[in-house]
Amino acid sequence: METLRVLELYSGIGGMHYALKQSGISAQLVAAIDINTTANQVYRHNFPDTPLWNRTIEGISLDEFNNLHFDMILMSPPCQPFTRQCLVKMLTECGYTFQEVMASPTTVGIPNSRLRYFLMAKISTEAICSQSKDFQTSLLPAKIESSVEPAHLSPLQPVSFLTKEEEIEDHVLYKLETTNDAQRKMNQNSDLSVRQIQDFLEPQEKINMDEYLVPSEVLLRYALILDIVKPICRRSICFTKGYGRYVEGTGSVLQCCLETEIESVFKNLDQLSEEEKLQQLLRLKLRYFTPREVANIMGFPESFSFPEQIPTRQRYRLLGNSLNVVVVERLLHQMISKC
């Protein structure tokens, strides 16, 4: 295959760039374009040889675009401007064939629920593979490194929920979860096609625990809505740009004291005084995932790093605005390959 000249719009911290490199496609990045100055610092730190334009795409002339002579555009734009301007209708009118896909990292064996919309388009008479079941199956890794045998059930099968509390054996409902929530988590943790969280964690000795422990005031105020996972879990919720700053729905927290049973901490918690509640919750040693661990879960390679001057909160924000590298890698490979 000839080398493709690729333009990266809304380049962020380089997730698309890494996905292209890992896809095996012969390609040259002719330019990356983004207006976020902090993201551009990170991008330049990791890709010093790629031309980086700190500009809005509206401020780039057609001649400047044409002078790049690109064959492919990779972009991860904000959704609203494109949906409001009828992106799919415009592609059809311009002669593109396209495929829309909803994909999550769990599809490729990564323990993180981050369902996202992807659109692939070709200006060609050659259609993109359009059978969604075959397409999603092709995203699955050829082999999951694990010490256990893979599950017999397909990870793409629909999940069936239990509806009665007594059907969940030995499980104490805690916090604000329903029986369906509990069963969904149990189903996710029993899916052996997905790796365990411990595969993505930094060595304990490299982490400053004081920096990442969930603060006491957060524990007391938000304990009932924290999504708590253990290293052996095969699930976590989407890490958003508000991780470490907001609590609900922004990402999971890690239980570091595995000797403490989580059910024993939350059972009858509402009957305790504030001080007693705090002492109970502190037994779990809950901490935030480090930015490096979030990057690992999002598929960024070990070579990826942040400049030292980027604060932790900004690192979470940039990662939350990024995408899963492995998912995009598989999508790119599928788009380029023949049906």
Side-chain angles (χ1 to χ4, degrees), residues 222-291:
Y222 298 109
L224 295 180
I225 58 175
L226 287 171
D227 184 72
I228 301 170
V229 295
K230 300 178 182 179
I232 60 171
C233 286
R234 301 178 189 273
R235 54 161 293 273
S236 62
I237 63 173
C238 175
F239 294 99
T240 74
K241 64 181 181 181
Y243 189 63
R245 186 165 47 131
Y246 302 113
V247 175
E248 187 170 10
T250 61
S252 302
V253 295
L254 186 69
Q255 177 183 344
C256 294
C257 182
L258 303 181
E259 292 77 21
T260 302
E261 290 293 332
I262 193 168
E263 289 84 358
S264 69
V265 170
F266 280 92
K267 193 173 185 179
N268 302 321
L269 191 67
D270 58 341
Q271 300 174 20
L272 304 178
S273 67
E274 291 287 284
E275 183 58 32
E276 289 172 328
K277 284 182 184 177
L278 181 59
Q279 293 308 312
Q280 280 284 82
L281 293 166
L282 288 174
R283 291 170 54 208
L284 295 170
K285 292 188 178 178
L286 301 179
R287 73 164 175 87
Y288 295 109
F289 286 75
T290 69

Side-chain angles (χ1 to χ4, degrees), residues 153-161 187:
L153 297 178
S154 165
L156 299 179
Q157 286 188 294
V159 175
S160 59
F161 292 134
N187 288 342

Side-chain angles (χ1 to χ4, degrees), residues 58-324:
E58 296 87 352
I60 301 173
S61 69
L62 184 59
D63 284 342
E64 287 178 297
F65 273 122
N66 287 337
N67 287 338
L68 292 172
H69 303 291
F70 53 84
D71 306 300
M72 177 191 290
I73 298 176
L74 299 178
M75 58 193 298
S76 179
C79 301
Q80 292 85 350
F82 287 87
T83 52
R84 282 200 297 262
Q85 296 187 32
C86 305
L87 174 57
V88 168
K89 180 182 177 183
M90 189 72 67
L91 287 171
T92 303
E93 292 176 351
C94 292
Y96 285 84
T97 58
F98 62 89
Q99 170 70 24
E100 298 171 282
V101 176
M102 296 291 289
S104 177
T106 54
T107 311
V108 294
I110 295 175
N112 186 239
S113 299
R114 192 182 177 92
L115 187 65
R116 284 202 164 187
Y117 167 86
F118 298 90
L119 185 145
M120 301 172 293
K122 287 183 180 180
I123 188 162
S124 169
T125 55
E126 178 187 320
I128 297 175
C129 295
S130 58
Q131 297 181 11
S132 66
K133 182 176 180 182
D134 291 342
F135 181 85
Q136 291 201 13
T137 302
S138 71
L139 295 182
L140 293 171
K143 181 180 180 182
I144 297 292
E145 295 298 331
S146 173
S147 59
V148 295
E149 291 298 318
H152 294 296
L153 297 178
S154 165
L156 299 179
Q157 286 188 294
V159 175
S160 59
F161 292 134
L162 296 183
T163 56
K164 297 179 182 178
E165 183 173 339
E166 59 267 23
E167 289 182 278
I168 306 177
E169 296 181 4
D170 301 322
H171 185 90
V172 177
L173 290 177
Y174 64 96
K175 308 192 299 178
L176 300 179
E177 70 178 3
T178 65
T179 52
N180 280 1
D181 293 331
Q183 182 62 43
R184 172 178 50 80
K185 293 176 182 179
M186 291 169 67
N187 288 342
Q188 290 172 329
N189 284 328
S190 63
D191 184 353
L192 302 185
S193 72
V194 177
R195 296 166 65 185
Q196 294 179 329
I197 284 174
Q198 61 189 0
D199 294 345
F200 302 86
L201 300 179
E202 291 191 89
Q204 196 78 0
E205 61 272 13
K206 295 182 68 173
I207 300 173
N208 180 357
M209 290 294 289
D210 291 338
E211 181 180 357
Y212 294 104
L213 285 173
V214 178
S216 297
E217 59 271 21
V218 174
L219 290 175
L220 283 173
R221 187 172 181 181
Y222 298 109
L224 295 180
I225 58 175
L226 287 171
D227 184 72
I228 301 170
V229 295
K230 300 178 182 179
I232 60 171
C233 286
R234 301 178 189 273
R235 54 161 293 273
S236 62
I237 63 173
C238 175
F239 294 99
T240 74
K241 64 181 181 181
Y243 189 63
R245 186 165 47 131
Y246 302 113
V247 175
E248 187 170 10
T250 61
S252 302
V253 295
L254 186 69
Q255 177 183 344
C256 294
C257 182
L258 303 181
E259 292 77 21
T260 302
E261 290 293 332
I262 193 168
E263 289 84 358
S264 69
V265 170
F266 280 92
K267 193 173 185 179
N268 302 321
L269 191 67
D270 58 341
Q271 300 174 20
L272 304 178
S273 67
E274 291 287 284
E275 183 58 32
E276 289 172 328
K277 284 182 184 177
L278 181 59
Q279 293 308 312
Q280 280 284 82
L281 293 166
L282 288 174
R283 291 170 54 208
L284 295 170
K285 292 188 178 178
L286 301 179
R287 73 164 175 87
Y288 295 109
F289 286 75
T290 69
R292 177 66 258 181
E293 290 168 339
V294 176
N296 291 343
I297 290 171
M298 294 182 65
F300 282 81
E302 290 184 11
S303 60
F304 169 79
S305 64
F306 287 96
E308 289 187 7
Q309 69 270 23
I310 306 295
T312 299
R313 184 164 290 185
Q314 282 290 342
R315 298 182 188 201
Y316 286 138
R317 186 176 183 85
L318 293 168
L319 287 165
N321 283 331
S322 191
L323 36 72
N324 190 281

